[in-house]
């Protein structure tokens, strides 16, 4: 029994260009609305020492299984309020009213 010959990995490379069908030249239509959760949101990263991360997770756990994100939002609200700006919740409510 002889083995069937394996196709060459170079077969496609040596194919003449005239034999290749052209790609679709249609344009991509933009979606009507942004994906769920992306509307009006800004995404960023924060780098913290592991000891700070651990402490924030501990605080969140002891405060009724909050998320660390909730603590970040509290901090952002404190910074905004201290400087006389509306809180994130107030800004969100105002943007919905517009």
């Amino acid at each position: 029994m002889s083995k069937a010959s394996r196709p060459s990995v170079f077969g496609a490379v040596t194919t003449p260009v005239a034999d290749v069908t052209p790609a679709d030249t249609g344009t991509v239509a933009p979606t009507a609305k942004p994906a769920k959760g992306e509307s009006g949101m800004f995404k960023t990263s924060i780098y913290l020492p592991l000891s700070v991360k651990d402490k924030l997770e501990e605080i969140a756990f002891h405060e009724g299984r909050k998320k660390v994100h909730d603590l970040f939002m509290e901090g952002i609200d404190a910074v905004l309020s201290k400087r006389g700006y509306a809180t994130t919740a107030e800004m969100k409510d105002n943007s919905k009213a517009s």
Side-chain angles (χ1 to χ4, degrees):
M1 283 208 263
S2 66
K3 289 185 177 180
S5 63
R6 296 175 66 188
S8 171
V9 293
F10 298 108
V13 176
T14 58
T15 304
V17 176
D19 293 346
V20 178
T21 58
D24 182 19
T25 58
T27 59
V28 177
T31 58
K33 60 182 182 178
K36 182 180 178 183
E38 289 186 12
S39 162
M41 298 301 280
F42 171 73
K43 197 174 191 179
T44 189
S45 297
I46 182 169
Y47 294 86
L48 301 169
L50 288 175
S51 57
V52 173
K53 175 199 153 284
D54 292 341
K55 190 55 69 177
L56 288 171
E57 287 176 346
E58 181 182 333
I59 292 168
F61 177 80
H62 288 295
E63 290 188 5
R65 298 209 181 258
K66 277 187 173 181
K67 303 280 184 190
V68 173
H69 176 268
D70 298 332
L71 298 177
F72 290 145
M73 295 306 292
E74 280 183 37
I76 291 168
D77 284 341
V79 168
L80 292 170
S81 295
K82 180 180 175 183
R83 289 164 175 78
Y85 295 101
T87 64
T88 55
E90 293 166 345
M91 287 184 205
K92 188 175 181 181
D93 290 342
N94 287 341
S95 68
K96 285 184 180 178
S98 298

